[in-house]
Amino acid sequence: MKLRAMAFVPALILLAACSSEPDRVTAVSVAEQCDPESTYFDLSEDEKSIEFHFRPGTESSEVAYTCLLEKSGAPSSVDYRIMETRPIDGTQTAEWEGWELYWRYEGKGDGTPMHLSEV
C-alpha cells in the first residue's frame, strides 16, 4: 500500500504545477516595463489604469506606445484602429482579454491621449 501512495505524490505535484496560473499582467507591470522613469505614463492612484499622451513621430513616445500595446497583449487590430483614427471620429474604445482602452486623435500637433484600464 505504501508503494501505491508514493506513486500518487509525483502525480499530485505535477497537477499542482500545471494548474498554477501565470502572473497576470497589471497596469503597474506595464508602466514599470514600458516607462520606468514615468516620462510618458501616469499611473492612477488605484494602480489599475494608465494615462498616456501618445505623440506619433517622437521616437521615445512611439517606443512607449509599442511597448504598452505589446505588454498588455493588445491584438494588432487595436494598433490599426488607433493609427486610422481621425479627429472627427471622437473617442474610440477597444477591449481585449483583461483590458479596455479609450483614445481620441486630436490632430497633428496634439497627438493621441489614451486611457488603458484593467478590467
Side-chain angles (χ1 to χ4, degrees), residues 32-52:
E32 287 173 349
Q33 293 176 55
C34 299
D35 189 30
E37 296 177 16
S38 300
T39 305
Y40 296 102
F41 298 166
D42 288 321
L43 193 61
S44 64
E45 278 188 40
D46 66 359
E47 299 185 333
K48 301 281 185 197
S49 63
I50 297 171
E51 293 285 336
F52 173 46

Side-chain angles (χ1 to χ4, degrees), residues 8-107:
F8 286 112
V9 172
L12 289 174
I13 292 171
L14 180 62
L15 284 174
C18 291
S19 68
S20 63
E21 293 181 27
D23 291 337
R24 172 153 164 51
V25 176
T26 64
V28 172
S29 66
V30 170
E32 287 173 349
Q33 293 176 55
C34 299
D35 189 30
E37 296 177 16
S38 300
T39 305
Y40 296 102
F41 298 166
D42 288 321
L43 193 61
S44 64
E45 278 188 40
D46 66 359
E47 299 185 333
K48 301 281 185 197
S49 63
I50 297 171
E51 293 285 336
F52 173 46
H53 199 93
F54 174 47
R55 298 198 182 277
T58 307
E59 185 178 344
S60 54
S61 181
E62 288 183 3
V63 168
Y65 165 79
T66 300
C67 184
L68 177 93
L69 294 181
E70 286 178 0
K71 297 299 180 186
S72 65
S76 59
S77 60
V78 173
D79 176 50
Y80 177 80
R81 289 182 56 210
I82 291 169
M83 292 302 154
E84 294 299 314
T85 302
R86 305 164 301 165
I88 196 169
D89 295 331
T91 300
Q92 302 292 301
T93 63
E95 291 184 38
W96 62 95
E97 190 174 320
W99 296 98
E100 184 172 56
L101 178 67
Y102 292 90
W103 75 91
R104 70 181 178 279
Y105 179 63
E106 295 181 336

